[in-house]
Amino acid sequence: MGLFDKLKGAVNSVTGGAAKVTMTYNPQTGFPGETVAVKITATSTGAEVDSKGLFVDLRGTERVDLNRGDAIGLDKSVTASNHTFEQEFPITGPFKIPANETVEFEGTFTIPPQVQPSYVGARVQHNWEVRGRVDAFGNDPDTGYLPFRVGAKQ
């Protein structure tokens, strides 16, 4: 392994670029207490990737947007957001991705029964996101957050 390869490996561990990660999930809209099936693919971008495990992260975010004049005394626009829920779900334990190769895993996670549904109002919205993540040294390679809907249980 040459100096350039060592530098590239160090950069990849800092940036999360050691692997390209993609994920599909079904259903696209889930309900509290229901199971969601996932398929996660990870491809090494060069060197072998030593992982402590593969995870799905589920996150809910509430966002409020108020425009100037929406309320008495509001003289400028205000935006605020808050993560209402965050949980990681293990899909598999430790594994290795050989250099320049691809691995694929299938698994499930269950939407917790107490979560609130997705909604969009005139000034407030609650959105859900999901991502696949390879737990590796440095910055974890991941899919980035993908939109997900949680329906209201009747």
Side-chain angles (χ1 to χ4, degrees):
M1 180 183 256
L3 178 62
F4 181 72
D5 291 333
K6 289 180 183 178
L7 286 173
K8 183 178 176 189
V11 168
N12 282 340
S13 72
V14 170
T15 64
K20 178 167 176 38
V21 184
T22 60
M23 178 174 72
T24 58
Y25 50 94
N26 190 33
Q28 299 292 306
T29 299
F31 292 87
E34 289 187 351
T35 299
V36 178
V38 298
K39 183 177 0 180
I40 302 172
T41 303
T43 302
S44 164
T45 58
E48 177 180 85
V49 178
D50 189 12
S51 172
K52 297 177 194 162
L54 184 67
F55 297 87
V56 168
D57 298 326
L58 179 65
R59 177 169 77 181
T61 304
E62 184 176 57
R63 180 183 166 109
V64 177
D65 293 304
L66 296 173
N67 295 315
R68 190 174 131 248
D70 280 349
I72 296 172
L74 187 61
D75 59 353
K76 64 179 183 176
S77 295
V78 177
T79 298
S81 64
N82 179 53
H83 295 303
T84 59
F85 183 88
E86 292 183 274
Q87 186 173 342
E88 69 177 22
F89 299 89
I91 300 301
T92 190
F95 66 95
K96 291 184 186 294
I97 307 172
N100 299 307
E101 294 204 17
T102 298
V103 295
E104 187 174 276
F105 297 94
E106 293 186 19
T108 62
F109 70 93
T110 301
I111 302 167
Q114 77 278 11
V115 302
Q116 57 184 315
S118 303
Y119 59 85
V120 177
R123 293 177 180 86
V124 179
Q125 57 184 304
H126 191 261
N127 297 308
W128 287 92
E129 301 171 304
V130 64
R131 76 174 173 184
R133 177 174 51 86
V134 174
D135 187 357
F137 177 74
N139 190 5
D140 294 346
D142 63 57
T143 60
Y145 277 101
L146 305 169
F148 183 70
R149 287 190 49 82
V150 174
K153 200 96 170 174
Q154 299 292 336

